[in-house]
């Protein structure tokens, strides 16, 4: 049983590493961003409200976010561990997670903080493409697909996220600095944070994460 949080700015590589670690530890990846994109795709009323917020680069309300995460964390496949990707993003969310984990008889084992300078983030977000089917993430400059804009795994045409367009991407980084960075102090005081250099290659970052949390590489 291991419960991990992947922490970092938009473009720091959370999604990519979450997929690798989820496979390594055989625990589900819980991405609130993916949950919200599913909600938007469903066309529900809540989805329309969430879409408006995501397009602006701001955060969805704590109430909605905590509710969707709690619902997911209570599902059966999370009983043996989970990997949170993009949650918590505010101190209020971190406090709600503490209460929820305690109620479930679980605890956060480690918070993996991927460190990447802002200048690299903007560059990475502008080149990012995602597969709408399997959600694998590519980068036009650093990790291109074998065939132009086609997913290596399932052949779907790759898409650019609307919130990766430069203006919104910059806003998301500002929101991260203002609202999400304070969450680190919450976990540092509990001695749970491991800082990992997120600027090196995907495999090197994965190895650094595994060794920093004491797992065999
Ligand atoms: P992500 O895919 O993690 O970059 O998330 C995309 C967008 O979804 C964010 O810019 C927010 O608008 C929203 N979102 C995802 N996770 C959260 C969260 N924990 N709290 C609030 N909003 C979130």
């Amino acid at each position: 049983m291991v419960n991990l949080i992947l922490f970092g700015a938009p473009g720091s590589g959370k999604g990519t590493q979450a997929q690798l670690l989820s496979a390594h530890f055989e625990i589900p990846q819980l991405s609130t961003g993916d949950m919200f994109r599913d909600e938007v795709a469903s066309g529900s009323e809540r989805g329309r409200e969430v879409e408006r917020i995501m397009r602006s680069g701001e955060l969805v309300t704590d109430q909605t976010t905590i509710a969707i995460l709690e619902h997911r964390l209570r599902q059966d496949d999370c009983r043996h561990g989970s990997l949170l990707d993009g949650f918590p993003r505010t101190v209020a969310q971190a406090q709600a997670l503490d209460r929820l984990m305690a109620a479930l008889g679980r605890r956060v084992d480690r918070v993996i903080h991927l460190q990447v300078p802002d200048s690299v983030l903007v560059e990475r977000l502008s080149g990012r493409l995602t597969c709408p089917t399997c959600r694998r993430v590519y980068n036009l400059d650093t990790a291109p697909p074998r065939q132009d804009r086609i997913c290596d795994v399932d052949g779907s045409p790759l898409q650019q996220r609307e919130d990766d367009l430069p203006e919104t991407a910059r806003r998301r980084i500002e929101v991260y600095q203002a609202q999400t960075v304070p969450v680190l102090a919450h976990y540092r005081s509990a001695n749970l944070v491991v800082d990992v250099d997120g600027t090196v290659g995907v495999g090197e970052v994965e190895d650094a994460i595994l060794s920093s949390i004491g797992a065999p590489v």
Side-chain angles (χ1 to χ4, degrees):
M1 164 93 148
V2 63
N3 292 292
L4 302 173
I5 296 177
L6 260 176
F7 196 94
S12 61
K14 289 191 302 294
T16 301
Q17 292 300 325
Q19 287 182 350
L20 296 170
L21 294 171
S22 156
H24 182 92
F25 290 107
E26 298 183 345
I27 51 176
Q29 171 191 1
L30 273 50
S31 155
T32 39
D34 282 348
M35 293 175 207
F36 288 139
R37 279 181 285 278
D38 287 343
E39 186 83 42
V40 170
S42 78
S44 69
E45 199 175 313
R46 183 162 78 174
R48 281 194 292 279
E49 171 63 10
V50 164
E51 184 174 30
R52 191 186 58 73
I53 298 172
M54 286 173 87
R55 275 204 183 142
S56 69
E58 304 296 327
L59 296 181
V60 177
T61 63
D62 283 335
Q63 198 191 3
T64 299
T65 307
I66 292 163
I68 204 169
L69 191 273
E70 172 165 4
H71 177 76
R72 182 66 188 88
L73 211 50
R74 285 184 180 278
Q75 286 169 3
D76 233 26
D77 62 332
C78 297
R79 271 188 315 149
H80 304 297
S82 58
L83 177 61
L84 300 186
D85 159 16
F87 183 97
R89 262 175 153 100
T90 63
V91 171
Q93 290 178 17
Q95 290 164 342
L97 181 64
D98 286 347
R99 288 191 294 272
L100 178 59
M101 293 296 266
L104 292 168
R106 303 176 199 160
R107 64 187 167 89
V108 173
D109 295 297
R110 280 279 189 282
V111 177
I112 299 153
H113 173 214
L114 294 176
Q115 293 181 300
V116 176
D118 284 5
S119 55
V120 179
L121 297 173
V122 177
E123 218 170 274
R124 281 195 187 169
L125 291 171
S126 67
R128 174 157 81 173
L129 292 175
T130 317
C131 173
T133 311
C134 72
R135 293 205 151 124
R136 183 157 164 189
V137 180
Y138 297 85
N139 189 290
L140 282 176
D141 310 308
T142 54
R146 283 196 292 273
Q147 233 185 309
D148 188 36
R149 289 172 189 260
I150 299 290
C151 179
D152 293 351
V153 181
D154 52 45
S156 304
L158 301 177
Q159 293 176 348
Q160 179 174 38
R161 278 170 48 172
E162 219 174 307
D163 58 353
D164 281 345
L165 296 172
E167 200 183 315
T168 314
R170 271 194 296 275
R171 179 63 196 147
R172 287 164 61 216
I173 294 167
E174 283 169 13
V175 167
Y176 171 78
Q177 300 292 359
Q179 298 187 52
T180 306
V181 167
V183 175
L184 271 181
H186 177 87
Y187 290 117
R188 283 205 199 278
S189 65
N191 238 337
L192 291 177
V193 180
V194 292
D195 297 299
V196 173
D197 177 5
T199 60
V200 294
V202 171
E204 276 173 88
V205 175
E206 188 192 9
D207 288 350
I209 292 174
L210 290 174
S211 56
S212 73
I213 62 179
V217 175

